[in-house]
Amino acid sequence: MRLLMLGGTEFVGRAVTDAALERGWDVTVFHRGRHAPPPGVRALTGDRTAGPAGLAALTGGGPDWDLVVDTWSGAPSAVRDAARLLCGRAGHFSYVSSRSVYAYPAAAGLDEDGPLVAGASPDDGGDVPYDRAKRGGELAALDAFGDRALLARAGLIIGPGENIGRLPWWLSRIARGGPVIAPGPPGTELQYIDARDLAEWLLDAAAGGLHGAYNTVSRPGHATMGELLTACARATGSDAELRWTGPEVLLAAGVEPWSDLPVWLPPGELYDTLHRGDHTKAYASGLRCRPVGETVADTWTWLRTLGGVAPRRPDRPAVGLDPHLEAKLLAL
């Protein structure tokens, strides 16, 4: 298989690239040159934000590709330009989308036929809200590739290489030890996917000719909040004391779900939207999600190779609970 990875040097894109190389595939990476591409790939550079001119490196001679994978989360016009350019040179186009494309709130158990966000267009440029950007990217992929386009609607993505900071923050905080505010109850069910499991599914699905939309997430309750944080303590060897605190106490203190305490959401519409999506179509097509302990341990191993400081995307805000607020909560 010949893969063109649009991106390929960070997190999900890097996971896809690594998985393809492990399979012995011929991999070309098109990126902006901000990070070193992995060894063993053919590297092309360009800036998709510059419009069609930024894709010039893809217009020269060279092989066609069996598969293109695109993880772009900015303006849909960048997906449009790339997909239009490549539709005659690639057999299949996989776009890593998001469950954010569903109209909010998404009911618990919502499948791929649920209502979608309104107002998105593949021609949207500039600063576009995330949900519309991802839906616009889907439309761009479908417009160019039709039934050769696969839409992977991922939810929360964690694992080695994470450049958002959610799991790395929990690992770093728990590694410091001492009392740690843990959002309860510990049995709260989580839904997510390890970037490496997403990558393997993407390659299998494309090789098998799958097309259309798939909710690429674990089953709800694949892990719980308690299992996630206990795995963090185990991986880091920490003596941290998890102080389980109810959602009503946290919210009353001004704690912001998802950002102050990453991954956690209290019961309600947002929790149902992000942690209760339907997974059956993706599982029936072969998606498999590794145990939470493996994801956590491997992320800690990777984080230690970086001196404990994870990379962070400049377009995403920092996450994690302010130490002063945590101290106040611990004193209650």
Side-chain angles (χ1 to χ4, degrees), residues 72 76 95-106 110-120 129-139 151-155 213-215 273-274:
W72 187 257
Y95 179 62
V96 179
S97 186
S98 167
R99 293 190 65 253
S100 295
V101 300
Y102 296 111
Y104 184 84
L110 187 74
D111 65 15
E112 290 82 357
D113 294 324
L116 302 170
V117 63
Y130 183 77
D131 54 353
R132 282 177 46 194
K134 280 300 190 182
R135 180 55 185 158
E138 289 187 351
L139 293 171
L151 312 176
R153 291 175 178 164
Y214 288 78
N215 291 335
T273 296
L274 292 175

Side-chain angles (χ1 to χ4, degrees), residues 67-80:
L67 166 65
V68 179
V69 175
D70 191 357
T71 64
W72 187 257
S73 58
S77 57
V79 182
R80 177 202 64 196

Side-chain angles (χ1 to χ4, degrees), residues 9-24:
T9 62
E10 289 192 287
F11 199 25
V12 175
R14 181 60 183 260
V16 173
T17 300
D18 288 346
L21 290 171
E22 288 175 5
R23 297 178 181 213

Side-chain angles (χ1 to χ4, degrees), residues 78-174:
V79 182
R80 177 202 64 196
D81 293 343
R84 287 178 178 174
L85 177 66
L86 296 167
C87 65
R89 295 189 58 193
H92 195 277
F93 191 97
S94 292
Y95 179 62
V96 179
S97 186
S98 167
R99 293 190 65 253
S100 295
V101 300
Y102 296 111
Y104 184 84
L110 187 74
D111 65 15
E112 290 82 357
D113 294 324
L116 302 170
V117 63
S121 167
D123 300 322
D124 284 339
D127 188 14
V128 183
Y130 183 77
D131 54 353
R132 282 177 46 194
K134 280 300 190 182
R135 180 55 185 158
E138 289 187 351
L139 293 171
L142 292 169
D143 284 350
F145 278 82
D147 62 5
R148 295 182 292 140
L150 177 68
L151 312 176
R153 291 175 178 164
L156 169 65
I157 307 175
I158 58 177
E162 186 196 333
N163 55 1
I164 307 300
R166 297 186 180 106
L167 182 53
W169 182 83
W170 276 116
L171 282 163
S172 298
R173 174 60 193 92
I174 288 175

Side-chain angles (χ1 to χ4, degrees), residues 107-274:
L110 187 74
D111 65 15
E112 290 82 357
D113 294 324
L116 302 170
V117 63
S121 167
D123 300 322
D124 284 339
D127 188 14
V128 183
Y130 183 77
D131 54 353
R132 282 177 46 194
K134 280 300 190 182
R135 180 55 185 158
E138 289 187 351
L139 293 171
L142 292 169
D143 284 350
F145 278 82
D147 62 5
R148 295 182 292 140
L150 177 68
L151 312 176
R153 291 175 178 164
L156 169 65
I157 307 175
I158 58 177
E162 186 196 333
N163 55 1
I164 307 300
R166 297 186 180 106
L167 182 53
W169 182 83
W170 276 116
L171 282 163
S172 298
R173 174 60 193 92
I174 288 175
R176 292 202 305 270
V180 177
I181 289 293
T188 300
E189 294 185 339
L190 306 178
Q191 185 174 52
Y192 65 91
I193 190 166
D194 186 303
R196 298 167 295 177
D197 296 331
L198 174 58
E200 295 290 353
W201 181 84
L202 279 168
L203 299 183
D204 287 342
L210 295 187
H211 63 276
Y214 288 78
N215 291 335
T216 48
V217 287
S218 70
R219 62 174 178 81
H222 177 73
T224 64
M225 200 72 207
E227 290 168 342
L228 177 72
L229 299 192
T230 299
C232 288
R234 184 182 305 115
T236 59
S238 173
D239 62 354
E241 175 195 353
L242 298 177
R243 296 273 188 91
W244 292 102
T245 307
E248 65 285 349
V249 175
L250 297 173
L251 295 173
V255 173
E256 288 291 334
W258 197 256
S259 55
D260 287 345
L261 291 175
V263 179
W264 170 73
L265 292 168
E269 291 179 344
L270 189 55
Y271 174 81
D272 288 344
T273 296
L274 292 175

